[in-house]
Amino acid sequence: MLTNKRILLIIGGGIAAYKSLDLIRRLRDQGASVTPVLTRAAEEFVTPLSASALAAQKVYRDLFDLTDEAEMGHIELSRAADLVVVAPATADLMAKMAGGLANDLASTLLMATDKRVLIAPAMNVRMWEHPATQRNLATLKGDGVLVVGPDEGNMACGEFGPGRMSEVPDIVAAVGAALGDGPLKGKHVLVTSGPTHEPIDPVRYIANRSSGAQGTALAAALRDLGAKVTFVTGPANVPPPAGVNVVRVESAGDMAAAVDAAPQADAAVFAAAVADWRVLNASGSKMKKDGSGKAPALEFGENPDILATVSKRTQGRPRLVVGFAAETDDVVENATSKRKRKGCDWIVANDVSPGTGIMGGDQNKIVLISDDGAEEWPRMGKDEVARRLAQRIADALAG
Ligand code: CTP
């Protein structure tokens, strides 16, 4: 419930603006009050009168409306809310936000606010995928702006792909999470992610192809459900999500130490691709060719198994321990025996054979293995896998 929460809803000028009228109703159903702000372009899609009628509030439209300044200045308007929601967030609005422009009421409010901002992007697929939009998105995320969607599907413009505004219930859920009201409120979840680097000498290391994308998406999804997240990450290709406690590590040994040092968790998810071996005779200075043509002999020692260690803790074991299994053959059989061997509650198994494009890609196809057997999920985006897994974790901790 969003009882007594005050939402400042900025409606941008896109066809998805019609969904924002429903969003006003659904937020009010949850007990929130909604103050709508319409951009000029938004008024081409929905009328101020409908927004005002549904919100049962005055609609704000113009920066230079002196009557409004007398009633409530734009600074005050931006601060009186608990959360600022931008839906639909058009490519233009996102660019203005990323660039710090303040040349109309909506962009000025977004610059002036001291509250969290949640955007629900909506635009044509090409506009979404344009490097400028992706750059702006990365900037906004870096600034701590929360993002819900966009979804993938048929678009009003006749094209197909990511760019559709999230459905209203998903936006309402994201609002709840942004206000710390999700089902994981008060829970602490530990997530490991990314590859590890095992040094050979100061300039060389042994690594693997994990990008860290799935673990990062999972940490973000858990945060969005209200969890406090400790995110222990190896050197990944993707930046860690905002709003989580990030612990950066390099080697498996560092990762094991960081996991040991983390506060007691309700659930722990081990999505990292940890090196099984480290180089025992790693050199403190750069190894040189000695001219003999003989390659140096590296000696390997086994790394600590972090997942197995935490699963088998007799004290302080998280209630739910989830491992990942990256397999190239006999995925379900191998992952099922891995679950037993490691003593974890669930294994998220995926086929990382080169043909699947999963390792380093945006999509994932997983099998969730638990006491209830093996559950095969359809291929979907790593973000969607993360959202569903986070919800499952919330359900398990609630039970
Ligand atoms: N894992 C871990 N510590 C290690 C190795 C693996 O915590 N030293 C975790 C991974 O984060 C993952 C799970 O164990 O959740 C399985 O990792 P995977 O690489 O698939 O399994 P391995 O134990 O390395 O087994 P194998 O190499 O035989 O497939």
Side-chain angles (χ1 to χ4, degrees):
M1 286 302 280
L2 300 169
T3 316
N4 297 330
K5 298 292 183 198
R6 292 159 305 174
I7 312 291
L8 184 70
L9 174 64
I10 295 175
I11 303 180
I15 184 66
Y18 80 92
K19 287 196 206 168
S20 303
L21 295 179
D22 191 33
L23 177 62
I24 296 175
R25 292 188 47 189
R26 299 303 155 215
L27 289 169
R28 292 193 65 209
D29 287 351
Q30 299 266 324
S33 68
V34 181
T35 305
V37 174
L38 263 66
T39 65
R40 273 262 153 75
E43 292 185 26
E44 302 289 331
F45 294 92
V46 292
T47 69
L49 190 60
S50 20
S52 168
L54 288 164
Q57 290 242 18
K58 179 176 169 51
V59 169
Y60 292 82
R61 301 157 63 188
D62 198 341
L63 184 56
F64 299 108
D65 185 334
L66 291 178
T67 331
D68 292 349
E69 284 295 319
E71 282 171 20
M72 184 190 270
H74 62 269
I75 302 285
E76 201 185 330
L77 184 59
S78 75
R79 311 246 167 113
D82 295 304
L83 180 74
V84 181
V85 178
V86 187
T90 58
D92 180 62
L93 261 174
M94 286 176 64
K96 278 185 175 162
M97 289 173 75
L101 294 189
N103 60 357
D104 61 7
L105 180 59
S107 53
T108 305
L109 291 170
L110 286 160
M111 281 288 279
T113 190
D114 59 353
K115 297 300 179 335
R116 292 203 88 177
V117 177
L118 169 73
I119 64 171
M123 65 197 72
N124 165 273
V125 56
R126 294 225 181 262
M127 292 173 75
W128 174 251
E129 285 171 350
H130 195 285
T133 304
Q134 291 303 310
R135 216 165 38 233
N136 292 334
L137 178 69
T139 302
L140 293 173
K141 283 186 175 171
D143 290 346
V145 169
L146 303 169
V147 183
V148 52
D151 286 351
E152 194 171 288
N154 286 320
M155 311 190 74
C157 54
E159 291 187 50
F160 182 89
R164 248 171 45 165
M165 188 163 88
S166 287
E167 294 305 324
V168 169
D170 293 333
I171 302 177
V172 174
V175 168
L179 291 165
D181 254 1
L184 287 172
K185 184 179 176 180
K187 299 281 193 267
H188 175 218
V189 185
L190 172 73
V191 178
T192 70
S193 180
T196 61
H197 286 181
E198 304 300 322
I200 296 172
D201 68 16
V203 295
R204 303 182 180 96
Y205 54 80
I206 296 172
N208 60 66
R209 294 184 194 280
S210 166
S211 63
Q214 187 62 80
T216 301
L218 194 58
L222 291 160
R223 172 206 63 195
D224 287 350
L225 294 185
K228 175 173 166 266
V229 178
T230 298
F231 184 62
V232 180
T233 177
N237 293 346
V238 291
V244 303
N245 177 25
V246 182
V247 185
R248 291 176 200 270
V249 297
E250 287 264 332
S251 65
D254 299 342
M255 187 172 273
V259 165
D260 249 5
Q264 172 67 41
D266 297 284
V269 186
F270 295 88
V274 186
D276 291 329
W277 308 96
R278 69 180 176 281
V279 180
L280 292 177
N281 55 343
S283 166
S285 47
K286 189 182 172 206
M287 288 179 172
K288 305 295 261 183
K289 291 192 285 285
D290 64 6
S292 71
K294 231 176 95 197
L298 299 180
E299 262 176 63
F300 289 93
E302 200 168 347
N303 274 328
D305 190 319
I306 309 168
L307 170 64
T309 308
V310 171
S311 297
K312 290 172 186 165
R313 271 185 197 163
T314 47
Q315 267 194 336
R317 183 191 193 275
R319 257 179 68 201
L320 181 70
V321 178
V322 183
F324 272 65
E327 306 289 346
T328 53
D329 311 282
D330 304 326
V331 176
V332 173
E333 293 86 316
N334 278 333
T336 305
S337 59
K338 199 170 271 182
R339 173 172 170 260
K340 269 226 175 78
R341 204 165 63 242
K342 305 234 180 191
C344 56
D345 302 300
W346 300 350
I347 281 266
V348 179
N350 48 19
D351 184 348
V352 292
S353 316
T356 63
I358 284 175
M359 210 146 197
D362 296 335
Q363 300 242 311
N364 205 352
K365 186 171 184 327
I366 67 146
V367 183
L368 180 62
I369 297 167
S370 67
D371 268 345
D372 301 334
E375 186 185 312
E376 211 165 311
W377 291 14
R379 195 179 173 101
M380 59 183 94
K382 286 184 175 172
D383 284 348
E384 186 58 25
V385 169
R387 271 196 291 275
R388 293 189 190 197
L389 272 176
Q391 189 56 54
R392 281 293 185 89
I393 291 169
D395 294 345
L397 292 183

